[in-house]
Amino acid sequence: VQLVESGGGLVQAGGSLRLSCAASGVTFRPAFMGWYRQAPGKQRELVAGSSSGGSTNYADSVKGRFTISRDNAKNTVYLQMASLKPEDTAVYYCNVRVVIWDYWGQGTQVTVSS
């Protein structure tokens, strides 16, 4: 399984970005597709997740601002980020769980300037 992320970059506070993560080589529908982030000096944290059953969950810090969605036909997960804040600055990682295996993307930098 290979994950290819795109969509990171530099944006001003209050702006928006959309991250994409396409999974290739997937045989079964991923049970989970989500996004984590890691800021310098901090632990990696779950930002948003989407289960194969359609449920979603979000970190409290992004509720109401970020939206996760997935296209099962394309094995792609998206993260629409709005009203970005400087504290959202981090490397964002895509995570896909297929059966019992976890796969990670290479990470994409999101930088929010004040």
Side-chain angles (χ1 to χ4, degrees), residues 1 5 8-9 15 32 35 48 71 79 82 85 87 91 94-95 105 107 113:
V1 174
E5 302 169 356
F32 174 88
W35 292 92
D71 183 335
L79 185 67
K85 304 175 181 180
E87 50 263 45
V91 178
C94 173
N95 172 248
S113 63

Side-chain angles (χ1 to χ4, degrees), residues 11-112:
V11 64
Q12 287 188 330
S16 300
L17 282 174
R18 188 173 90 147
L19 306 182
S20 299
C21 173
S24 60
V26 176
T27 304
F28 300 99
R29 175 174 294 182
F32 174 88
M33 302 184 81
W35 292 92
Y36 287 72
R37 69 185 180 188
Q38 188 166 20
K42 294 187 177 181
Q43 288 188 330
R44 189 174 297 191
E45 63 174 353
L46 176 66
V47 177
S50 173
S51 74
S52 58
S55 63
T56 58
N57 60 296
Y58 296 90
D60 288 342
S61 59
V62 307
K63 283 180 181 176
R65 300 187 297 121
F66 291 10
T67 303
I68 190 169
S69 60
R70 59 191 281 178
D71 183 335
N72 290 321
K74 297 180 179 179
N75 286 321
T76 300
V77 62
Y78 307 95
L79 185 67
Q80 181 67 49
M81 305 183 291
S83 302
L84 283 161
K85 304 175 181 180
E87 50 263 45
D88 294 319
T89 295
V91 178
Y92 284 69
Y93 296 91
C94 173
N95 172 248
V96 172
R97 188 168 307 136
V98 181
V99 190
I100 62 171
W101 297 283
D102 265 314
Y103 300 94
W104 293 90
Q106 78 281 5
T108 185
Q109 177 70 46
V110 171
T111 302
V112 184

